[in-house]
Amino acid sequence: MDPSNSIKHSAEQLNSEVVRLATEGRLTEALELSSQALTIDLYSPTAHYNRGLIFQNLARYREAINSYTDSIRFDYQNADAYLNRGNCYRALGNLSDARDDYLRAIENRTDFVAAVFCLCSTLHELENFDEAIDRLNSLISKAENNVDAHVLLAMSYQRLANFPKALKHFDIALSISPNQLDALVNSAVIHEGLGNFSQAESKLRLVTALRPDLALAWTLLGSCLLSAGNFGAAESVLRKALEVDDKNIDAILKLSEVLLKREKKEAALQQAVAAVNLDTSNYLAYLRLANALQMLGNFSDALMNYNRATELCPGS
């Protein structure tokens, strides 16, 4: 047998064993074996790629990027290497390099759905909503039941304040997957903003049933009930939010507002003080504190806190 073929065969065997160990979660052993594979064949794109996967699974993203780069050096058409390197860049917050790698992955595999979706997610994070929308519509035309694509498309429309199209795609996502949390939460937020309180409430009650440990859901439900004028139910729900997370400043601020609506002035003051103690740079906390102090007749302290709220208010 040609010695070079023997070496290649041995490296391929090691690479297969590396994959097996990594699949079993034995990442340290897999990493050690991947070093052996590279000792046998330093020019193996597969060995470098496998090493990148291991580093990525260990959240050692910079080392993973180096390994994927070495793999690409020896196989520049490896779409998976571009995708995974892009994911590592994204995990490090380097969105521009992530975007470029997703584009390279798509260039090498035009039907690479995972790369297209990652690209669209990155474009969304970069606030390039128009391009994200174009690409997502194209993706959905080929995979109409892709729930994640419908949700991301809806969220892009939502950011552009195109609420009819946002709701359309949230509804499509929910028709495919009725318990999709992002679709339920975001469509509820839109419905509340449009004054469709009953629709918002029904979606948020489903979220709290699915995820009773999610303080955000209880807080949003409390906000919806407050907007609808159902102050008693809002208070109860917001207290539930604080049972789940007693440091949830959004729930504390909403509860203070609800308590003022119910003329529970001392209780409202207590919540406002708690909000200020949690975040001394939050203008809403000082505003709620000023509201409570004013209702209690303490006008000088109320004015002081109104002034502090104005100083901290964004754009003031």
Side-chain angles (χ1 to χ4, degrees):
M1 177 185 288
D2 185 333
S4 63
N5 288 335
S6 177
I7 291 173
K8 183 177 180 181
H9 179 68
S10 178
E12 287 175 351
Q13 287 181 317
L14 283 176
N15 285 328
S16 296
E17 182 65 8
V18 167
V19 172
R20 184 185 70 80
L21 290 170
T23 302
E24 293 175 358
R26 298 160 63 181
L27 298 179
T28 302
E29 295 172 70
L31 190 58
E32 292 174 358
L33 201 60
S34 72
S35 297
Q36 294 181 36
L38 286 171
T39 301
I40 295 172
D41 184 0
L42 183 60
Y43 305 103
S44 166
T46 302
H48 287 292
Y49 176 79
N50 289 340
R51 195 168 173 81
L53 282 175
I54 297 165
F55 282 133
Q56 187 175 358
N57 284 326
L58 290 168
R60 291 163 61 175
Y61 298 117
R62 297 190 188 281
E63 292 164 288
I65 287 169
N66 291 336
S67 291
Y68 288 131
T69 299
D70 287 334
S71 178
I72 290 166
R73 184 177 295 121
F74 302 120
D75 180 6
Y76 67 91
Q77 294 181 318
N78 187 341
D80 290 304
Y82 287 116
L83 170 66
N84 287 320
R85 189 174 69 174
N87 288 338
C88 292
Y89 279 129
R90 191 175 173 195
L92 292 172
N94 188 341
L95 298 181
S96 60
D97 281 343
R99 176 196 58 206
D100 292 345
D101 266 351
Y102 296 142
L103 286 168
R104 293 186 186 102
I106 296 165
E107 287 172 8
N108 285 284
R109 193 189 306 167
T110 56
D111 61 345
F112 201 173
V113 172
V116 173
F117 184 78
C118 287
L119 172 61
C120 292
S121 297
T122 302
L123 291 169
H124 183 90
E125 290 182 63
L126 289 167
E127 299 188 357
N128 192 343
F129 302 119
D130 289 329
E131 185 179 351
I133 286 169
D134 288 344
R135 289 183 177 274
L136 285 164
N137 276 316
S138 178
L139 174 60
I140 288 169
S141 70
K142 302 167 188 173
E144 61 182 18
N145 289 328
N146 188 319
V147 173
D148 291 334
H150 280 290
V151 171
L152 186 57
L153 178 57
M155 290 171 69
S156 294
Y157 279 127
Q158 183 179 8
R159 289 295 300 274
L160 292 174
N162 189 336
F163 300 129
K165 285 191 175 180
L167 288 174
K168 171 187 172 182
H169 286 280
F170 281 135
D171 287 345
I172 292 172
L174 291 170
S175 71
I176 301 167
S177 178
N179 295 337
Q180 216 286 341
L181 290 180
D182 286 332
L184 287 168
V185 169
N186 283 285
S187 60
V189 169
I190 293 174
H191 279 302
E192 180 186 348
L194 294 173
N196 303 327
F197 301 125
S198 62
Q199 293 185 60
E201 180 183 347
S202 65
K203 291 180 186 298
L204 289 168
R205 288 200 180 279
L206 176 55
V207 176
T208 58
L210 292 168
R211 287 288 307 277
D213 61 325
L214 194 61
L216 171 65
W218 292 106
T219 304
L220 289 173
L221 178 56
S223 174
C224 176
L225 292 166
L226 170 61
S227 297
N230 192 344
F231 303 137
E235 179 182 346
S236 176
V237 165
L238 289 166
R239 291 193 184 281
K240 178 63 179 179
L242 292 173
E243 287 177 17
V244 175
D245 178 8
D246 62 359
K247 299 293 191 295
N248 184 335
I249 194 166
D250 292 328
I252 293 170
L253 290 169
K254 285 292 180 184
L255 180 57
S256 179
E257 184 178 355
V258 168
L259 290 169
L260 283 177
K261 295 284 188 184
R262 305 195 75 194
E263 298 189 4
K264 297 181 178 182
K265 303 170 189 177
E266 293 289 349
L269 177 64
Q270 182 181 4
Q271 295 299 326
V273 170
V276 169
N277 289 338
L278 271 177
D279 185 357
T280 57
S281 64
N282 190 312
Y283 84 96
L284 279 175
Y286 289 97
L287 181 60
R288 294 288 170 261
L289 180 56
N291 294 155
L293 289 166
Q294 181 180 359
M295 288 192 70
L296 286 165
N298 188 340
F299 300 116
S300 60
D301 284 349
L303 182 59
M304 180 181 68
N305 282 285
Y306 278 129
N307 289 335
R308 183 60 178 149
T310 301
E311 291 170 5
L312 292 171
C313 183
S316 64

